[in-house]
Structure formats: structure tokens, C-alpha cells
């Protein structure tokens, strides 16, 4: 397959900076690829969208600005402390044009450090989604979440998804999501991720977290689990997606983790690039 890769991002303006760093890392480590970036949001201003457009134009990519309608936004489940945008990834089948058949969804707090095409070309084996499960040294996390949600599958992280959009249009319904939230709101910890697992866990193909959704907080866990095989040299050579889960985020002053410096370096590279471009019109 030599086709262009569709990447879906859903966010509010609070994640504009990390989004731009993520896109720069994607470009740096996939220099020959053409990407269609589907930016789904509810409230970003034209000037903020223009900042993203400045980069995608520089990279030779196509940016699709998909601002959801007020009517659609008003129907989206809202839980205090969590933005509505988190549900747009699940509902992308209702938002994106029918010509879009597959997307890779990426959280903005991510670095892409190797080639992403193998994920794009992944055989979903008939499943609607592909995702990774973040485990510790054992599968205790899976067991706890199975008890909490009454599920039988692994507990999948929603930060990196391959989505068969054609299937999602038929299977993922806003009414089902709303009903699940109303019924189980007291037990939801990470609402969109819990809903993903509760409603659609059986339709998810598991992919290796160490490659496709590496939790940057868990370096020692990965090393322990592989008897030190997955050291930093292995990560830099084999891991494709680093996910800065939890807090503090690498752009925060309090962050001083194993992979903070790598993020800051990409941010610095991006700042140098932007300094050479024409200013974005207000």
C-alpha cells in the first residue's frame, strides 16, 4: 500500500502545543509519508487552527478542519473534569466524511519516533478497532478492570487506536454511549476509556504496547517484564509511539522523567522551524 495515511486528532486548545510537537515528530520520523490530518474539535478558534495549518502546509500534508456542530456537541456526554472532545474519537464515524474508511487516532501527548506505516497497514482481522493494553509486570490491572466493568477482555488504552471507520459508523452509536454513562457513571474512572472497553472491548484487536503505545512512566516495568531486554536502546530502535500518560506532562516545569528530555528536544526543534516561517495571521 502506498496510500496516504489518515491521522485523527480530537482536542481543545489546551493541547495545541503538544499536538504541534506530536505532528513534528511524526513528520521527522516519517519524512516520505503523506498524511491527511483530521482535526476534530468543538471550540478551537480560526487562529488556533491556522497554527496547525501552518505546519501541515509546511510538511506538504492536508489538514481537514472538522468543527463539530453545536447540535452534535450538545448531544455529547459531558462528565465534569473531562472534555467532550474525548468522545469524538469514538464518534468519528458520525463526524468524518463517508469517504474516510480508516484512521489512526493519536492523543496529542505522544511522540512518534519510528515508522508508523506498519500500524496503518495492520490487518484488523475483521475487528473494528486495534489498541494496546497498558499492563504492569502482571495482568493485575486487567483483572481489576474486568471486575469493575464486568468485561472479559484486556483493558485497552484509548490513546492510540486504529479505527475501521466504516464499521464504526454502523456500530458506535451516541445513544449507546449516553446510556452507558447514565447507568454506570458512578463507577467510571476514565470515562471515554471505560466506555471504549465496556461497549466495544470484544471488537478490539490487541497490539503490543511496547511498540505502539509505550507508557513513558513504565520504563522500569517494561525492563523487568523482559528481563532488561527492553532497555533504552531497544526503545529507540523498536518503539514507534511514546505516550506521555498521566501527569506531569513533559512540557510542564515539574516533569523530569526518563523521556522528558526527548520531548523537550522535539519541542525545541519545532520552535526553531516555526521561527523560520511566516507569522500566523490573527
Amino acid at each position: 500500500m502506498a496510500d496516504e495515511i489518515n491521522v485523527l486528532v480530537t482536542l481543545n486548545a489546551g493541547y495545541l502545543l503538544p499536538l504541534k510537537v506530536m505532528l513534528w515528530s511524526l513528520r521527522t520520523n516519517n519524512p516520505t509519508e503523506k498524511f491527511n490530518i483530521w482535526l476534530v474539535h468543538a471550540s478551537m478558534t480560526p487562529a488556533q487552527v491556522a497554527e496547525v495549518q501552518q505546519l501541515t502546509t509546511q510538511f506538504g500534508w492536508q489538514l481537514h478542519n472538522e468543527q463539530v456542530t453545536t447540535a452534535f456537541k450538545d448531544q455529547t456526554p459531558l462528565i465534569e473534569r473531562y472534555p467532550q472532545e474525548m468522545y469524538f474519537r469514538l464518534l468519528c464515524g458520525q463526524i468524518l466524511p463517508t469517504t474516510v474508511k480508516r484512521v489512526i487516532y493519536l492523543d496529542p501527548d505522544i511522540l512518534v519516533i519510528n515508522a508508523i506505516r506498519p500500524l496503518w497497514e495492520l490487518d484488523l482481522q475483521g475487528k473494528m478497532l486495534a489498541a494496546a493494553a497498558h499492563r504492569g509486570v502482571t495482568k493485575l490491572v486487567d483483572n481489576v478492570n474486568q471486575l469493575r466493568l464486568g468485561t472479559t477482555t484486556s483493558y485497552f488504552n484509548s490513546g492510540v487506536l486504529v479505527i475501521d471507520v466504516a464499521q464504526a459508523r454502523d456500530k458506535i452509536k451516541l445513544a449507546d454511549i449516553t446510556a452507558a454513562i447514565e447507568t454506570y457513571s458512578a463507577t467510571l474512572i476514565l470515562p471515554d476509556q471505560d466506555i471504549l472497553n465496556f461497549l466495544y472491548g470484544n471488537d478490539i484487536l490487541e497490539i503490543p504496547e511496547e511498540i505502539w503505545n509505550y507508557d513513558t512512566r513504565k520504563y522500569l516495568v517494561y525492563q523487568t517484564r523482559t528481563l532488561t531486554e527492553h532497555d533504552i536502546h531497544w526503545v529507540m530502535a523498536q518503539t514507534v509511539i511514546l505516550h506521555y500518560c498521566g501527569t506531569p506532562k513533559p512540557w510542564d516545569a515539574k516533569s523530569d522523567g526518563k523521556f522528558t528530555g526527548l520531548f523537550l528536544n522535539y519541542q525545541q526543534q519545532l520552535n526553531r522551524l516555526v521561527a523560520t516561517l511566516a507569522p500566523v495571521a490573527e
Side-chain angles (χ1 to χ4, degrees), residues 98-118:
T98 55
T99 52
V100 180
K101 307 299 183 185
R102 173 183 284 214
V103 297
I104 297 173
Y105 168 81
L106 297 175
D107 270 354
D109 57 345
I110 273 172
L111 288 181
V112 180
I113 63 171
N114 279 302
I116 202 170
R117 177 161 288 278

Side-chain angles (χ1 to χ4, degrees), residues 46-58:
Q48 290 162 345
V49 173
E51 290 185 40
V52 183
Q53 179 77 67
Q54 180 189 49
L55 289 182
T56 55
T57 298
Q58 179 69 19

Side-chain angles (χ1 to χ4, degrees), residues 156-223:
F156 296 102
N157 181 272
S158 59
V160 178
L161 301 170
V162 182
I163 306 174
D164 181 332
V165 184
Q167 284 198 57
R169 287 191 184 97
D170 293 331
K171 295 180 179 179
I172 300 180
K173 306 298 182 184
L174 181 57
D176 295 337
I177 294 173
T178 303
I181 289 175
E182 289 175 350
T183 303
Y184 300 101
S185 59
T187 61
L188 299 179
I189 297 175
L190 297 172
D192 70 315
Q193 194 160 279
D194 284 351
I195 292 300
L196 169 73
N197 284 274
F198 178 72
L199 291 179
Y200 311 112
N202 288 318
D203 215 349
I204 299 176
L205 175 71
E206 185 166 350
I207 54 179
E209 62 173 307
E210 297 92 337
I211 296 175
W212 298 115
N213 193 339
Y214 187 104
D215 186 339
T216 57
R217 301 169 298 180
K218 304 293 180 62
Y219 176 72
L220 292 178
V221 170
Y222 292 124
Q223 272 207 307

Side-chain angles (χ1 to χ4, degrees), residues 85-98:
E85 286 81 3
M86 65 167 48
Y87 296 99
F88 296 162
R89 77 192 83 174
L90 293 179
L91 296 166
C92 66
Q94 316 303 320
I95 299 170
L96 300 181
T98 55

